[in-house]
Tab-separated table of all heavy atoms in Angstrom:
chain	number	residue	atom	x	y	z
A	375	GLN	N	6.207	12.148	-42.022
A	375	GLN	CA	4.901	11.688	-41.541
A	375	GLN	C	4.541	10.359	-42.212
A	375	GLN	O	4.065	9.421	-41.563
A	375	GLN	CB	3.858	12.769	-41.868
A	375	GLN	CG	2.522	12.586	-41.200
A	375	GLN	CD	2.589	12.666	-39.691
A	375	GLN	OE1	2.769	11.651	-39.030
A	375	GLN	NE2	2.445	13.854	-39.135
A	376	TYR	N	4.798	10.284	-43.515
A	376	TYR	CA	4.508	9.067	-44.279
A	376	TYR	C	5.314	7.891	-43.709
A	376	TYR	O	4.780	6.818	-43.458
A	376	TYR	CB	4.850	9.305	-45.749
A	376	TYR	CG	4.724	8.073	-46.621
A	376	TYR	CD1	3.480	7.621	-47.046
A	376	TYR	CD2	5.865	7.365	-47.007
A	376	TYR	CE1	3.375	6.493	-47.840
A	376	TYR	CE2	5.765	6.229	-47.797
A	376	TYR	CZ	4.520	5.792	-48.210
A	376	TYR	OH	4.414	4.666	-48.979
A	377	VAL	N	6.602	8.114	-43.481
A	377	VAL	CA	7.470	7.045	-42.981
A	377	VAL	C	7.059	6.655	-41.560
A	377	VAL	O	7.093	5.483	-41.183
A	377	VAL	CB	8.956	7.471	-43.034
A	377	VAL	CG1	9.832	6.495	-42.270
A	377	VAL	CG2	9.417	7.569	-44.478
A	378	ARG	N	6.640	7.646	-40.769
A	378	ARG	CA	6.213	7.336	-39.396
A	378	ARG	C	5.054	6.336	-39.404
A	378	ARG	O	5.095	5.311	-38.716
A	378	ARG	CB	5.759	8.606	-38.666
A	378	ARG	CG	5.292	8.335	-37.233
A	378	ARG	CD	4.830	9.593	-36.524
A	378	ARG	NE	3.513	10.041	-36.939
A	378	ARG	CZ	2.365	9.592	-36.422
A	378	ARG	NH1	2.386	8.677	-35.470
A	378	ARG	NH2	1.209	10.036	-36.851
A	379	VAL	N	4.029	6.616	-40.215
A	379	VAL	CA	2.855	5.744	-40.224
A	379	VAL	C	3.196	4.400	-40.880
A	379	VAL	O	2.737	3.342	-40.438
A	379	VAL	CB	1.662	6.429	-40.917
A	379	VAL	CG1	0.447	5.521	-40.899
A	379	VAL	CG2	1.347	7.749	-40.221
A	380	TRP	N	4.040	4.438	-41.903
A	380	TRP	CA	4.479	3.181	-42.513
A	380	TRP	C	5.161	2.298	-41.459
A	380	TRP	O	4.901	1.102	-41.372
A	380	TRP	CB	5.438	3.483	-43.672
A	380	TRP	CG	6.105	2.259	-44.217
A	380	TRP	CD1	5.562	1.324	-45.051
A	380	TRP	CD2	7.440	1.831	-43.926
A	380	TRP	NE1	6.477	0.336	-45.296
A	380	TRP	CE2	7.640	0.612	-44.629
A	380	TRP	CE3	8.493	2.343	-43.154
A	380	TRP	CZ2	8.844	-0.089	-44.564
A	380	TRP	CZ3	9.689	1.647	-43.099
A	380	TRP	CH2	9.865	0.446	-43.806
A	381	LEU	N	6.014	2.917	-40.625
A	381	LEU	CA	6.703	2.161	-39.578
A	381	LEU	C	5.727	1.601	-38.549
A	381	LEU	O	5.898	0.496	-38.038
A	381	LEU	CB	7.747	3.039	-38.885
A	381	LEU	CG	9.118	3.052	-39.571
A	381	LEU	CD1	9.966	4.205	-39.060
A	381	LEU	CD2	9.847	1.731	-39.341
A	382	LEU	N	4.671	2.380	-38.236
A	382	LEU	CA	3.655	1.872	-37.312
A	382	LEU	C	3.063	0.575	-37.853
A	382	LEU	O	2.823	-0.378	-37.118
A	382	LEU	CB	2.521	2.892	-37.134
A	382	LEU	CG	2.738	4.079	-36.206
A	382	LEU	CD1	1.504	4.962	-36.211
A	382	LEU	CD2	3.029	3.586	-34.803
A	383	LEU	N	2.839	0.563	-39.175
A	383	LEU	CA	2.198	-0.600	-39.785
A	383	LEU	C	3.137	-1.803	-39.844
A	383	LEU	O	2.694	-2.939	-39.728
A	383	LEU	CB	1.718	-0.248	-41.201
A	383	LEU	CG	0.481	0.639	-41.259
A	383	LEU	CD1	0.310	1.242	-42.640
A	383	LEU	CD2	-0.762	-0.161	-40.887
A	384	VAL	N	4.429	-1.560	-40.026
A	384	VAL	CA	5.343	-2.694	-40.219
A	384	VAL	C	6.181	-2.988	-38.980
A	384	VAL	O	7.034	-3.870	-39.006
A	384	VAL	CB	6.282	-2.454	-41.432
A	384	VAL	CG1	5.469	-2.244	-42.703
A	384	VAL	CG2	7.206	-1.285	-41.196
A	385	GLN	N	5.905	-2.262	-37.876
A	385	GLN	CA	6.746	-2.386	-36.676
A	385	GLN	C	6.941	-3.838	-36.241
A	385	GLN	O	8.060	-4.277	-35.990
A	385	GLN	CB	6.131	-1.570	-35.532
A	385	GLN	CG	7.031	-1.401	-34.305
A	385	GLN	CD	6.854	-2.509	-33.286
A	385	GLN	OE1	5.827	-3.146	-33.210
A	385	GLN	NE2	7.909	-2.753	-32.507
A	386	GLU	N	5.827	-4.579	-36.184
A	386	GLU	CA	5.934	-5.946	-35.663
A	386	GLU	C	6.809	-6.828	-36.547
A	386	GLU	O	7.565	-7.659	-36.049
A	386	GLU	CB	4.541	-6.562	-35.518
A	386	GLU	CG	3.863	-6.106	-34.252
A	386	GLU	CD	2.505	-6.757	-34.064
A	386	GLU	OE1	2.280	-7.856	-34.617
A	386	GLU	OE2	1.662	-6.161	-33.368
A	387	SER	N	6.706	-6.642	-37.865
A	387	SER	CA	7.511	-7.515	-38.732
A	387	SER	C	8.979	-7.103	-38.676
A	387	SER	O	9.862	-7.942	-38.848
A	387	SER	CB	6.984	-7.490	-40.165
A	387	SER	OG	7.024	-6.192	-40.677
A	388	ILE	N	9.254	-5.817	-38.420
A	388	ILE	CA	10.658	-5.419	-38.241
A	388	ILE	C	11.202	-6.032	-36.960
A	388	ILE	O	12.327	-6.528	-36.912
A	388	ILE	CB	10.800	-3.885	-38.177
A	388	ILE	CG1	10.425	-3.258	-39.514
A	388	ILE	CG2	12.231	-3.499	-37.805
A	388	ILE	CD1	10.503	-1.761	-39.534
A	389	GLU	N	10.366	-6.035	-35.921
A	389	GLU	CA	10.794	-6.596	-34.651
A	389	GLU	C	11.157	-8.066	-34.827
A	389	GLU	O	12.087	-8.567	-34.199
A	389	GLU	CB	9.689	-6.434	-33.599
A	389	GLU	CG	10.163	-6.785	-32.211
A	389	GLU	CD	9.301	-6.176	-31.114
A	389	GLU	OE1	8.280	-5.537	-31.444
A	389	GLU	OE2	9.654	-6.340	-29.943
A	390	ARG	N	10.442	-8.755	-35.707
A	390	ARG	CA	10.752	-10.171	-35.950
A	390	ARG	C	12.108	-10.349	-36.631
A	390	ARG	O	12.716	-11.405	-36.537
A	390	ARG	CB	9.644	-10.821	-36.785
A	390	ARG	CG	8.448	-11.246	-35.934
A	390	ARG	CD	7.574	-12.254	-36.665
A	390	ARG	NE	6.924	-11.676	-37.835
A	390	ARG	CZ	5.779	-11.002	-37.781
A	390	ARG	NH1	5.175	-10.816	-36.638
A	390	ARG	NH2	5.246	-10.506	-38.876
A	391	LEU	N	12.574	-9.308	-37.335
A	391	LEU	CA	13.887	-9.377	-37.981
A	391	LEU	C	15.014	-9.308	-36.964
A	391	LEU	O	16.136	-9.724	-37.229
A	391	LEU	CB	14.069	-8.203	-38.959
A	391	LEU	CG	13.213	-8.195	-40.220
A	391	LEU	CD1	13.476	-6.927	-41.015
A	391	LEU	CD2	13.503	-9.420	-41.069
A	392	ALA	N	14.707	-8.746	-35.782
A	392	ALA	CA	15.753	-8.551	-34.770
A	392	ALA	C	16.179	-9.895	-34.214
A	392	ALA	O	15.343	-10.756	-33.955
A	392	ALA	CB	15.242	-7.657	-33.658
A	393	PRO	N	17.480	-10.109	-34.046
A	393	PRO	CA	17.960	-11.387	-33.513
A	393	PRO	C	17.420	-11.640	-32.109
A	393	PRO	O	17.287	-10.721	-31.304
A	393	PRO	CB	19.478	-11.210	-33.493
A	393	PRO	CG	19.723	-9.753	-33.631
A	393	PRO	CD	18.552	-9.178	-34.348
A	394	GLU	N	17.095	-12.884	-31.830
A	394	GLU	CA	16.519	-13.262	-30.538
A	394	GLU	C	17.607	-13.440	-29.489
A	394	GLU	O	17.949	-14.544	-29.121
A	394	GLU	CB	15.737	-14.570	-30.679
A	394	GLU	CG	14.378	-14.445	-31.318
A	394	GLU	CD	13.341	-13.800	-30.420
A	394	GLU	OE1	13.575	-13.716	-29.193
A	394	GLU	OE2	12.310	-13.363	-30.934
A	395	SER	N	18.210	-12.388	-29.053
A	395	SER	CA	19.202	-12.500	-27.979
A	395	SER	C	18.574	-11.942	-26.716
A	395	SER	O	17.377	-11.710	-26.668
A	395	SER	CB	20.469	-11.746	-28.351
A	395	SER	OG	20.170	-10.391	-28.578
A	396	ALA	N	19.405	-11.758	-25.692
A	396	ALA	CA	18.875	-11.256	-24.421
A	396	ALA	C	18.093	-9.971	-24.653
A	396	ALA	O	17.002	-9.776	-24.145
A	396	ALA	CB	20.008	-11.015	-23.443
A	397	GLN	N	18.695	-9.084	-25.422
A	397	GLN	CA	17.986	-7.848	-25.761
A	397	GLN	C	17.952	-7.710	-27.263
A	397	GLN	O	18.951	-7.867	-27.943
A	397	GLN	CB	18.704	-6.653	-25.150
A	397	GLN	CG	18.067	-5.335	-25.546
A	397	GLN	CD	18.581	-4.210	-24.706
A	397	GLN	OE1	18.751	-4.361	-23.526
A	397	GLN	NE2	18.820	-3.083	-25.325
A	398	LYS	N	16.773	-7.432	-27.785
A	398	LYS	CA	16.650	-7.324	-29.225
A	398	LYS	C	17.368	-6.087	-29.747
A	398	LYS	O	17.482	-5.076	-29.075
A	398	LYS	CB	15.181	-7.279	-29.609
A	398	LYS	CG	14.490	-8.591	-29.364
A	398	LYS	CD	13.055	-8.530	-29.804
A	398	LYS	CE	12.441	-9.917	-29.752
A	398	LYS	NZ	11.060	-9.900	-30.225
A	399	ASN	N	17.863	-6.210	-30.955
A	399	ASN	CA	18.584	-5.124	-31.596
A	399	ASN	C	18.330	-5.171	-33.083
A	399	ASN	O	18.099	-6.217	-33.644
A	399	ASN	CB	20.092	-5.287	-31.369
A	399	ASN	CG	20.582	-4.383	-30.280
A	399	ASN	OD1	20.771	-3.204	-30.508
A	399	ASN	ND2	20.759	-4.938	-29.110
Side-chain angles (χ1 to χ4, degrees):
Chain A
Q375 192 63 269
Y376 174 78
V377 169
R378 179 181 77 85
V379 181
W380 171 77
L381 273 165
L382 281 179
L383 286 164
V384 301
Q385 191 270 335
E386 279 183 24
S387 60
I388 294 179
E389 190 159 4
R390 278 198 294 275
L391 291 177
E394 283 287 344
S395 59
Q397 176 167 319
K398 291 182 171 182
N399 259 282

